[in-house]
């Protein structure tokens, strides 16, 4: 194993109740940290956290501020970014993918501190710039710099009140007026009002808006992007013809001002049309670069994939935070014990508790590596697209494949994080319900990730559609290699547990991967057959596909994402060549996660004939429980290796010092007005006549 | 079917987008409503909702008020209860169970309006009074009346900072001082501070407190209840020796002032000891009524069961609310469609969507009836305990059995509701994330129900322990009959799908029930065998039990709860004798819920040998999907039959008028400050020198 510089990683507090477990680890948590996360990225994150911590503007409010103040704070924090100099000048000259990677690290560090802040920045800079890059031309580049310099505050207006997932049905219009050389923007009715647009509610001055481009002859050329100024950047007052407002309180992320807008004969210059894929001449003639307008849209929307990759990174970090809170709490909290009057046991010692929280810890570690691998693959494809020596065919195959992988993985990860937060909350009992545990806020802020940048259920269908296409194609189109195993589909479909365990015993990496390969083949075969049956009985293809979701397609895309994560992890770990104790713990984490995942699919292994009788399910569960038991002694150190610093984690029940009760005491005693008689005390007292009272 | 008076149920708005589905129902939703819920209870609920709606104090705030204001509002609303005259005078003279039932109806109506309010009332009246009744004697009865009259504001102080589930380890002490005839209350250290006590943070004047009773000879007589005055009821200022404060912000239920308290040599009179099960003479001699002090505690804690039944009722209502929101939204929201340019389809038409939300609707209806049945059983046992003609043995068997049923059902229901809210949120997409959809608040307010009044995982173990005792007992002790089927355990364990489907085809009520009977026997056998193996290899019983949770015990108690719900529903429906269309819809709901539940247990049916190959899983899923397809046309009317009025549901995306977009428009346009430029606009603008700007 190469020599590692761990000196930049801050030490943990010594002593305290966590030490008893920390001493049991036979490895250095800092080295494990650098195995789970690349040094460069980690250095960026610690830099971000240090700068935030030292700036009073980023001190955590002692309680949730009123909505308006949350918005103000997030907006001010976004503006402060520049002064914090998180992005060094030399980054500008790097390649798109190197630069994106740098920004993604910053985004992750910010997201673990405050999702409202990171989302606001992503909307203001990342997503906006990607959209300009994908849809704009030379003349629009100035907007990118203006957004960086905060001369404009940007937002992306896609969703309308009655259309979210089905973006093709967006109804806002941009009608070209050749006489004035302007587009006239209109919202036909309130159902077509742009809404949920982040940054739009209170602050955005310009909206990158999707609208139907209509030429003077009345022809609709489909959806295009337009840069629509909505507020005066000097006064934040909206322009006439633009009715823009804030949609109000949400379940979380209230630092973001989500807005809606209605345009009424609102005019913008011709140049504000993002004309990379389709152009309108000053005279009003529409020229398309692509022949198929849906292809043009596809290319435009492709630029949103970066957002999904970012979401996956955030979700992996959320898994980490949830795991850290659950593990640290479980190691300190004692409840019940074998003897009536004897010592109580830390709840981490209970098998059921291990079964509840260790899969979260394992998922966090495995996904941390898997998401990093996937991000690199994605960025390499983007980089490859910039030199077209590969040829258009390979590139479009790669784009389709990475889109499928991301469309499967974003739902898998965001749902995993959602469930992890909830399990962590419950596993911390009542104290997990304290706002200062952070779990409630984490749940509320994470929740929309299951919906935005592609609804999870809709995205999953895109992934399964791609998989089913591969299943039925004469020739596999898998330049990334995600479904290369389909070449062995005939052997795989014959596979069963008794045979597999002979050729790849459970202690091989291949065991779980082979189970997944069988499972994926079976699900594709099953789903495909179901669709064929429906089609041959005259059902419309649209309906046949819909009716195949429950029987197989839905599970297919989830299983595919899990397979990609596990194989990404295995591929990465195998070429690491780490020392024994690290190899052991990585293996343990893999086993816990893989066995736990296999358990979720157990029914299909039986229904499909891979397993018969109790042996397979029993073996998987036994290995899971045994791995949990082994993980138990090192779980605290594993958690240390993925924990954000206390400042970013901000959980009173999971500080690195492990002083659970002392920290809770502090929290209780110092919370604002804790001991104050309420101002409204008279409203509570019911005046009693002394005679009537019997007390 | 008996004639029903449905006239007291308010009509629904006519017209609107829901009408297309409402017209498809071949039944009267009001009649269905009275089948799903008893007339008397429903009348009480409508009365409560009407009174609340007409009192401005209960108008919904337009956005979440600051924490302190939430507390104030909830406290004022509690005080207003008396003026609203929700409890008629004649109730006082009814039996305990009739009265409790009446109050439970009120509680349900209040909970569906505001959980903070209902919990506060339960703490102030219900739980406190039950505790006094269970532990106090004649001299304490005055406190019950005082609590009713709000002369005292009460709370129940059980949990300490470091002890929640394991109440036996509570460390607060009450040491008797014979010289002064007083108890001296002490909190040994902050870990023993009472905390999370609802009502204590800001308002309670007296705390029903569990503490170790210590006599002058230093002997600890175990936990007893004490009435400890903590604040002056005239000023709400705390007494010297009582350090009482508010624990601060929580993830939800912020209308409740949860508090903590530290007692330092704080003296209370001898009479404030709740001495029903153990008495201290003025001279300081301790006399116990029970010989085993743990039995004494058991009797005392038994009084908390009413709280768990109340929670189950609330969770069933929460299931209803989540289902109503999801169904109404799905019937109106359209997205995608078979033809590129054609009509889009309401999302309720998609099979996957039906599969996601109809089990919630079905669970809501089935559980509504099942919980009502269980509540009646519980109340009948309480009533029976008041005349002891049954003898102590039968009574204690009944108490153990109902405790097991409740301990299994409270986790099952609260987890079902938790998952239902989340699925409803996601199924309503982004709009479900709007605070005005109510789903976020519902999730936050429901969350602690999985933890308080018995942590779900701990309660489940109590249920499975009872079940395993029955499994291993020479003679069944099931006066309620919940495990009567164990008499047939030998046949049941031999049962398999192919045989069952012959003797009870899937369209019989028995099919699912028999599957469950097999499953329960299998799980008991499996779990019991696992424990025996461990014991015989020398493992401590405590550990052997813990290690049997994952392999079977956990699933056992959940399956038991589901079986009780399904059989309770079937028992009730069978003796109803309703007309055909109602019988059909009840059957559909049963099928959807039962098949969906069976799917969750599918692995065990295969592992245990009940099923082989794809037939069973395939048949269950097919019946589930077919039943969903049939339910689709009437789902809106079923939802109408369980919907709280708009005022109580307060979801902008699920009003009875179905005017989704119009209501959203209203919400967006009227939310406070929607169009206002923020006061802090200058903080967002970065001053730009005109030269530098390129725009």
């Amino acid at each position: 194993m190469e020599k590692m510089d761990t000196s930049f990683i801050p030490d943990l507090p010594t002593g305290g109740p966590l030490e008893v477990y920390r001493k049991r680890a036979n490895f250095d948590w800092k080295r494990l940290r650098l195995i789970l996360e690349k040094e460069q990225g980690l250095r960026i994150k610690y830099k971000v956290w240090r700068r935030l911590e030292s700036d009073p503007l980023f001190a955590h409010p002692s309680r949730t501020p009123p909505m308006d103040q949350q918005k103000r704070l997030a907006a001010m924090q976004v503006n402060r970014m520049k002064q914090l100099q998180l992005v060094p000048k030399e980054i500008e000259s790097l390649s798109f993918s190197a630069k994106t990677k740098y920004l993604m690290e910053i985004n992750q560090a910010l997201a673990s501190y405050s999702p409202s802040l990171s989302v606001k920045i992503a909307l203001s800079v990342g997503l906006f710039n990607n959209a300009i890059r994908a849809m704009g031309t030379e003349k629009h580049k100035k907007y990118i710099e203006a957004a960086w310099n905060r001369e404009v505050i940007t937002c992306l207006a896609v969703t309308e009140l009655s259309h979210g997932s089905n973006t093709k049905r967006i109804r806002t219009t941009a009608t070209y007026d050749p006489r004035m050389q302007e587009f006239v923007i209109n919202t036909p009715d309130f159902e077509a009002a742009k809404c949920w647009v982040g940054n739009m509610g209170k602050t955005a001055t310009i909206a990158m808006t999707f609208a139907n481009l209509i030429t003077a002859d009345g022809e609709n050329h489909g959806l295009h992007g337009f840069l629509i100024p909505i507020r005066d950047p000097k006064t934040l007052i909206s322009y006439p013809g633009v009715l823009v407002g804030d949609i109000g309180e949400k379940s979380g992320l209230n630092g973001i001002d989500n807005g809606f807008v209605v345009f009424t004969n609102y005019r913008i210059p011709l140049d504000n049309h993002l004309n990379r894929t389709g152009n309108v001449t000053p005279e009003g003639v529409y020229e398309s670069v692509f022949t198929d307008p849906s292809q043009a849209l596809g290319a435009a929307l492709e630029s949103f994939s970066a957002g999904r990759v970012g979401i996956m990174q955030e979700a992996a970090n959320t898994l980490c935070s949830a795991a850290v809170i659950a593990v640290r709490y479980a190691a300190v909290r004692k409840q019940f014990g074998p003897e009536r009057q004897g010592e109580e046991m830390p709840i981490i010692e209970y098998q059921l508790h291990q079964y509840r929280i260790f899969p979260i810890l394992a998922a966090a570690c495995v996904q941390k590596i898997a998401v990093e691998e996937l991000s690199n693959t994605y960025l390499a494809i983007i980089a490859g697209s910039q030199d077209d020596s590969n040829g258009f065919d390979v590139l479009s195959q790669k784009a389709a494949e990475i889109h499928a992988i991301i469309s499967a993985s974003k739902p898998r990860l965001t749902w995993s994080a959602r469930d992890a937060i909830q399990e962590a909350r419950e596993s911390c009992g009542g104290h997990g319900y304290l706002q200062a545990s952070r779990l409630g806020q984490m749940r509320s802020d994470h929740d929309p990730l299951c919906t935005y940048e592609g609804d999870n259920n809709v995205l999953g269908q895109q992934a399964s559609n791609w998989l089913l296409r591969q299943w039925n194609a004469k020739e596999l189109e898998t330049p990334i290699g995600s479904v290369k195993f389909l070449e062995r589909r005939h052997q795989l479909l014959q596979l069963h547990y008794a045979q597999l365990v002979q050729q790849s015993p459970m202690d091989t990496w291949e065991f779980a991967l082979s189970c997944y390969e069988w499972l994926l083949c079976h699900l594709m075969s099953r789903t495909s057959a179901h669709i064929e049956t429906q089609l041959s009985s005259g059902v419309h293809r649209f309906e046949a596909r819909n009716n195949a979701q429950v029987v197989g397609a839905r599970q297919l895309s989830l299983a595919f994402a899990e397979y990609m994560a596990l194989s990404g992890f295995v591929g990465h770990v195998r070429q690491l060549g780490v020392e024994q104790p690290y190899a052991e713990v990585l293996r343990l984490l893999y086993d816990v996660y893989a066995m736990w995942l296999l358990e979720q699919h157990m029914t299909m292994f039986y229904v499909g004939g891979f397993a018969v009788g109790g042996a397979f399910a029993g073996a998987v569960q036994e290995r899971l429980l045994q791995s949990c038991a082994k993980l138990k002694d090192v779980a605290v150190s594993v958690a240390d290796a993925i924990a954000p610093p206390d400042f970013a984690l901000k959980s009173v029940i999971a500080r690195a010092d492990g002083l659970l009760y002392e920290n809770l005491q502090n929290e209780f005693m110092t919370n604002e007005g804790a001991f104050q008689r309420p101002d409204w005390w008279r409203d509570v007292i019911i005046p009693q006549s002394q005679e009537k009272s019997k007390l």
Side-chain angles (χ1 to χ4, degrees), chain A residues 119-366:
Chain A
V119 172
K120 248 186 116 62
I121 293 173
L123 292 166
S124 307
V125 184
L127 291 177
F128 178 81
N129 289 356
N130 286 349
I132 297 276
R133 205 178 301 273
M135 296 186 289
T137 52
E138 201 53 38
K139 62 185 169 189
H140 302 115
K141 287 210 169 140
K142 61 182 177 184
Y143 288 98
I144 296 183
E145 203 178 327
W148 271 98
N149 294 333
R150 306 280 297 159
E151 290 162 35
V152 292
I153 302 175
T154 65
C155 63
L156 253 80
V158 185
T159 300
E160 297 178 353
L161 187 65
S162 67
H163 285 99
S165 292
N166 194 4
T167 41
K168 291 183 187 170
R169 290 300 187 93
I170 277 171
R171 290 162 56 233
T172 300
T173 56
T175 308
Y176 188 64
D177 173 0
R179 205 174 46 88
M180 303 291 288
Q181 302 193 4
E182 288 173 339
F183 282 100
V184 185
I185 312 293
N186 270 298
T187 302
D189 53 53
F190 202 79
E191 277 192 38
K194 296 289 172 190
C195 80
W196 279 101
V197 183
N199 274 7
M200 180 182 262
K202 292 288 174 195
T203 51
T205 62
I206 193 162
M208 210 297 293
T209 306
F210 276 90
N212 291 283
L213 192 162
I214 298 170
T215 38
D217 54 7
E219 197 181 340
N220 185 337
H221 299 275
L223 293 180
H224 286 250
F226 297 88
L227 293 169
I228 308 185
I230 55 173
R231 286 187 182 93
D232 183 336
K234 294 194 196 67
T235 62
L236 288 197
I237 288 177
S238 61
Y239 294 119
V242 178
L243 181 72
V244 58
D246 191 285
I247 65 166
E249 189 175 0
K250 295 151 299 181
S251 302
L253 290 183
N254 278 306
I256 299 167
D257 50 323
N258 292 79
F260 64 97
V261 66
V262 173
F263 296 108
T264 311
N265 290 324
Y266 183 66
R267 289 177 168 266
I268 59 170
L270 171 61
D271 274 358
N272 284 24
H273 170 218
L274 297 171
N275 59 338
R276 186 181 179 184
T277 57
N279 186 54
V280 174
T281 65
E283 298 73 32
V285 179
Y286 181 84
E287 313 159 321
S288 178
V289 176
F290 291 85
T291 44
D292 179 1
S294 77
Q295 245 184 330
L297 177 70
L301 287 180
E302 198 50 50
S303 67
F304 293 118
S305 278
R308 292 184 191 137
V309 172
I311 284 176
M312 287 165 54
Q313 294 166 341
E314 291 161 21
N317 290 325
T318 300
L319 270 172
C320 292
S321 295
V324 170
I325 295 172
V327 168
R328 285 185 178 162
Y329 183 85
V332 175
R333 177 75 170 181
K334 295 177 181 174
Q335 207 81 176
F336 297 107
E339 305 304 336
R340 241 185 125 87
Q341 301 296 334
E343 257 302 271
E344 287 184 293
M345 264 169 35
I347 56 178
I348 203 173
E349 299 287 335
Y350 292 93
Q351 190 186 66
L352 177 58
H353 207 82
Q354 294 167 9
Y355 182 78
R356 291 167 64 193
I357 68 171
F358 286 173
I360 303 173
L361 182 67
C365 296
V366 172

